Amino acid sequence: MSQERITQSLQQHTALLETFVRDQGAELERLAQVLVASFHAGGRLFVLGSGQFAAVADLVASLFNFRLSLERPQLPAISLSHDPLLALALAREEQAGQYFSRQLRTLGRRGDVVLALCGVPRDEAVEEALAMARQNGNPVAVFFHGREEEYFGERPDHFFLLETESLVSALEAALFCGRLACELVEAELFGL
């Protein structure tokens, strides 16, 4: 029975990733090109994650900071999802919606790229951060867990739909997509 469950889970996960790559792979390649251009110009990648996607945001940023398959210089990626003291202070002041935008206001500059990992229900902090990024003229990419009609904001420059009922599957798919984006960037920057 457990082998059958493992096989079924693997097939569902594989189908989700195959569908993503088939339907949205070209857009992921375009995002990778934007990241390459940004890095060449001295820009950085800011990754933010709402709810459980915060851990994935940290992992994606670390993929760019370390390496995947070769020794290389670190790429400038910063996760905005791991400052619990700021989160607590803002929550106490009923300003939790400013969690990411305050960090972008302080750290961000023109030429940076902002990547948000989120889903439903809508998150005011993500919305404010994306508005701040647009105001700064930063390219914006969103990996969204839900149905397209549930997306809560202005359409970003690069929109990726993680269409699955399972939050866990969406988290795994977001990490895979982040890794794949990093691989594409590595290949372009370092000739793989």
Side-chain angles (χ1 to χ4, degrees):
M1 175 168 36
S2 61
Q3 185 61 40
E4 184 178 305
R5 176 113 176 132
I6 291 168
T7 300
Q8 179 185 18
S9 180
L10 178 62
Q11 289 170 342
Q12 290 170 346
H13 187 69
T14 301
L16 174 64
L17 297 180
E18 286 175 344
T19 300
F20 177 88
V21 170
R22 181 189 69 233
D23 297 346
Q24 301 177 81
E27 186 65 24
L28 191 63
E29 288 181 38
R30 284 189 285 279
L31 173 60
Q33 289 301 317
V34 167
L35 288 168
V36 166
S38 176
F39 292 156
H40 275 307
R44 296 159 301 172
L45 170 63
F46 288 98
V47 188
L48 56 101
S50 173
Q52 292 94 327
F53 285 99
V56 177
D58 287 348
L59 287 167
V60 169
S62 72
L63 293 174
F64 283 89
N65 277 305
F66 188 56
R67 63 172 157 70
L68 291 176
S69 57
L70 75 146
E71 290 299 324
R72 60 153 168 88
Q74 79 180 56
L75 297 171
I78 301 164
S79 174
L80 300 179
S81 297
H82 62 269
D83 190 338
L85 296 177
L86 176 62
L88 180 61
L90 290 171
R92 272 196 307 213
E93 299 293 322
E94 297 183 11
Q95 297 176 7
Q98 297 178 23
Y99 179 63
F100 299 121
S101 63
R102 277 182 178 250
Q103 294 177 77
L104 280 176
R105 187 178 301 116
T106 303
L107 301 171
R109 61 181 182 242
R110 195 173 225 11
D112 294 334
V113 177
V114 176
L115 170 62
L117 311 173
C118 59
V120 291
R122 58 189 288 266
D123 185 326
E124 183 183 351
V126 171
E127 289 183 72
E128 283 198 30
L130 298 181
M132 171 69 63
R134 283 188 200 92
Q135 181 181 336
N136 291 342
N138 303 118
V140 173
V142 173
F143 285 90
F144 180 72
H145 172 232
R147 292 186 306 276
E148 192 164 359
E149 62 271 11
E150 294 176 307
Y151 183 68
F152 44 77
E154 183 181 328
R155 194 65 172 217
D157 302 301
H158 305 277
F159 183 75
F160 302 94
L161 192 59
L162 305 172
E163 199 165 7
T164 174
E165 295 296 317
S166 167
L167 174 61
V168 173
S169 293
L171 293 167
E172 293 170 341
L175 180 57
F176 170 80
C177 295
R179 190 196 85 205
L180 189 53
C182 187
E183 285 181 13
L184 292 169
V185 169
E186 267 191 357
E188 185 68 26
L189 287 175
F190 303 104
L192 292 177

